[in-house]
DNA sequence: TTGTAGGCGTTATCAG
DNA sequence: CTGATAACGCCTACAA
């Protein structure tokens, strides 16, 4: 084996042209003769010449690399987002460096620094549920453009790609009300989560619209957002003899946990209690009855996140510096998928 | 903002030392005076100096970047693998560029080329279910070290990280036989999948060990490996009045589909028919009854894949060329998780 | 202990 | 139409 990669210099020596001629010939530069171009391109192909990416990056001061930080890869929704990013970035000639923060703010900080250190043109960031201090993000933003997606914060002046959580939750709640449900439980999500808050607001607005009183007993709070927690909270409500005829949970997992609890107590779904989740993850069609859920366009979030980041990169490249664009918030539409559970 | 990144030259101008002194001071080179080091390191910190990664890559001809190609990100198992890779590569100071081939061999080829073009030190590859022609992989291998993981091929002379599919399937089948099941269905997976083949072999060996005859009617074949397919195939068997008392499916999704079909026909699980899946994905604890499944150590696969690739990189770096190491196959242990369905 | 010089591979400018 | 030269930022052998 033992082969060093082919360089322009190699081609130039083989063909007797100067390196710059070779470079231009390969780029179809207009003032190189067709004959030369042919020769060069042929040899390049034959030797399988591949331009050195590091050298190009160094020269153009752009790496064609985008960093992605995601709190938890182990979710259908995350995979969909990443998928959208992969496809769009590929289309645009960028590659993706992906990291997982595990909802740990220290890791998040570290990864942000690492990405910048290792050379990316921009970063797509979804915050951890525990990110309270945002200094490290503001600092990173000085060094390289950041676009927030899914888990965002209003305190960070960056473009944000999110779904209309509030409207999605409003519609889901209204859907339950329209069925005549009056005692609708809302299982709340992580304390500091922007999305969880918005969903709660949507729930409240729907109740208000239909003049249903808010009952604090019907609003339990998750410690961790998972199946077990949904089961636990519903079990608690049942043993406290709290009455309710519907459950709207902040995520599908929590809703699935709720269904499990209801079934254990022989409560008939949806006749006695209807259940709705949020995200439209794969589990919705595994659990029985199939779970009604608010679909979030994860794939599109990924696409849009790349698109908006690239817009900023182009702008920054033109003006040759990072600029404080007024941060836009892009809200994508959710869509209620009705299934057996409601 | 308008700030170019700080370079060694900037520091050198500010402090009046030459660039090389700065460079060495930052690296704690032994023959720089402590005083100089202090000054330099202080200023570097103050100005938030970050070495240019492209320049370093160019100089050292290594990018500290590993490419990962995965056929389908949208699986729990995939996420686990990627997670392991992320954590291990981070620990080793490498970053991960991730792509998804969508089980499309053309895309796979393209991504392989793209990765090499965009500069990675090595590649972790999991084949598509449809990869028949392997020329593009052999070609890529000439340019950069490749380690195969999960979906591998024996024809490709690369290190392989896999699980003991055959043993896992053998144990799962034996588990069913030990319960007195005699007519055990095996739902086969993708035609050209190495893993699917091995699982089938494990099933066959278990039957043989216990002198149970192989019945072709009990071995349907999936077109696509998904929930719907499991349901479809089981429905077909039932309507053909084929008798069976257990089902072992090539993946959890297929097993979940099978359970759905059985429940629709009021067949009691596991009393009348026991069901076992493969992968231990999240759905196993959502479906009711919870699905017995062969757990695959996805996270560890990720870790090992990085470890072995880095070993090869180090070797290649030492000897300054790619070398034909005899390809090892690393087999990780699976583990049967017994649940309600069997 | 510090500085000089050259090169990694590519590209842009300028000259011929 | 082609070639020489310098520069991107970093590193390191060699000099001083």
């Amino acid at each position: 084996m033992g082969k060093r990669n082919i360089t322009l210099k190699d081609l130039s020596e083989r063909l007797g042209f100067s390196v710059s001629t070779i470079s231009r010939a390969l780029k179809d530069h207009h003032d190189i003769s067709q004959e030369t171009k042919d020769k060069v391109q042929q040899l390049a192909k034959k030797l399988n010449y591949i331009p050195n990416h590091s050298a190009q990056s160094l020269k153009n001061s752009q790496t064609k690399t985008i960093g992605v930080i995601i709190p938890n890869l182990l979710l259908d929704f995350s995979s969909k987002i990443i998928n959208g990013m992969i496809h769009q970035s590929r289309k645009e000639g960028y590659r993706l460096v992906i990291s997982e923060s595990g909802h740990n703010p220290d890791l998040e900080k570290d990864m942000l620094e690492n990405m910048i250190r290792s050379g990316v043109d921009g970063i797509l960031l979804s915050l951890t549920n525990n990110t309270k201090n945002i200094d490290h993000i503001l600092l990173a933003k000085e060094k390289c453009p950041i676009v927030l997606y899914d888990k965002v914060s209003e305190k960070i002046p960056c473009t944000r790609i999110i779904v209309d959580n509030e409207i999605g939750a409003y519609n889901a709640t209204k859907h339950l009300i329209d069925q005549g449900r009056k005692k609708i439980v809302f299982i709340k999500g992580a304390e500091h989560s922007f999305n969880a808050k918005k969903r709660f607001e949507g729930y409240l607005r729907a109740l208000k619209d239909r003049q249903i009183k808010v009952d604090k007993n019907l609003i339990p709070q998750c410690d961790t957002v998972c199946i077990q927690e949904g089961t636990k909270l519903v079990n608690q409500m049942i043993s406290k003899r709290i009455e309710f005829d519907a459950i709207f949970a902040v995520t599908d997992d929590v809703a699935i946990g709720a269904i499990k609890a209801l079934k254990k107590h022989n409560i008939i779904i949806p006749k006695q209690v209807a259940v709705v989740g949020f995200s439209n993850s794969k589990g919705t069609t595994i659990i029985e009855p199939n779970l009604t859920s608010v679909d979030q366009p994860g794939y599109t979030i990924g696409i849009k996140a790349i698109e908006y980041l690239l817009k900023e990169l182009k702008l920054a490249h033109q003006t040759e510096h990072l600029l404080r664009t007024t941060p836009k918030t892009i809200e994508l539409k959710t869509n209620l998928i009705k299934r057996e559970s409601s």
Side-chain angles (χ1 to χ4, degrees), chain A residues 73-201:
Chain A
L73 207 54
L74 254 167
L75 294 173
D76 291 350
F77 184 50
S78 299
S79 306
K80 286 183 201 161
I81 293 174
I82 297 286
N83 242 299
M85 290 178 180
I86 289 180
H87 291 152
Q88 189 62 19
S89 61
R90 184 181 145 75
K91 202 195 266 176
E92 302 272 5
Y94 279 75
R95 58 184 190 170
L96 244 42
V97 169
I98 299 173
S99 262
E100 196 207 45
S101 66
H103 283 295
N104 176 346
D106 293 337
L107 262 186
E108 178 176 87
K109 181 180 172 195
D110 227 67
M111 288 173 166
L112 231 29
E113 283 167 6
N114 254 320
M115 293 212 157
I116 290 173
R117 193 169 297 275
S118 81
V120 295
D121 293 343
I123 293 178
L124 298 175
L125 173 62
S126 183
L127 302 174
T128 80
N129 279 343
N130 311 303
T131 302
K132 300 207 64 180
N133 186 327
I134 57 167
D135 294 346
H136 60 288
I137 298 169
L138 299 178
L139 197 72
K141 191 176 149 48
E142 301 293 303
K143 283 278 175 187
C144 109
I146 296 181
V147 163
L148 300 172
Y149 68 93
D150 187 36
K151 293 176 170 291
V152 307
S153 156
E154 282 166 326
K155 290 185 214 140
I156 304 172
C158 292
T159 296
R160 290 175 276 264
I161 318 287
I162 51 177
V163 300
D164 57 359
N165 284 288
E166 201 270 351
I167 298 174
Y170 175 85
N171 289 337
T173 310
K174 226 183 57 181
H175 159 70
L176 291 169
I177 297 173
D178 287 346
Q179 297 185 350
R181 315 280 172 175
K182 304 257 148 108
K183 296 172 182 167
I184 302 173
V185 171
F186 181 75
I187 305 184
K188 282 173 90 172
E191 189 111 30
H192 302 295
S193 157
F194 177 84
N195 291 342
K197 256 182 242 167
K198 290 290 173 193
R199 289 175 200 171
F200 184 46
E201 286 170 15

Side-chain angles (χ1 to χ4, degrees), chain A residues 318-332:
Chain A
Q318 276 169 27
T319 59
E320 293 198 345
H321 64 340
L322 280 75
L323 52 181
R324 293 214 179 282
T325 44
T326 26
K328 269 193 207 168
T329 297
I330 317 302
E331 264 198 17
L332 303 175

Side-chain angles (χ1 to χ4, degrees), chain A residues 196-240:
Chain A
K197 256 182 242 167
K198 290 290 173 193
R199 289 175 200 171
F200 184 46
E201 286 170 15
Y203 164 80
L204 292 179
R205 181 161 65 89
L207 294 192
K208 198 176 169 193
D209 266 18
R210 305 302 177 97
Q211 281 126 2
I212 298 177
K213 271 197 195 131
V214 177
D215 179 350
K216 279 193 181 168
N217 289 317
L218 298 183
I219 309 179
Q221 160 92 45
C222 283
D223 281 340
T224 57
V225 183
C226 63
I227 296 181
Q228 290 72 28
E229 187 78 5
T231 303
K232 193 187 86 186
L233 291 174
V234 171
N235 279 337
Q236 282 175 3
M237 296 187 71
I238 292 173
S239 65
K240 281 190 204 160

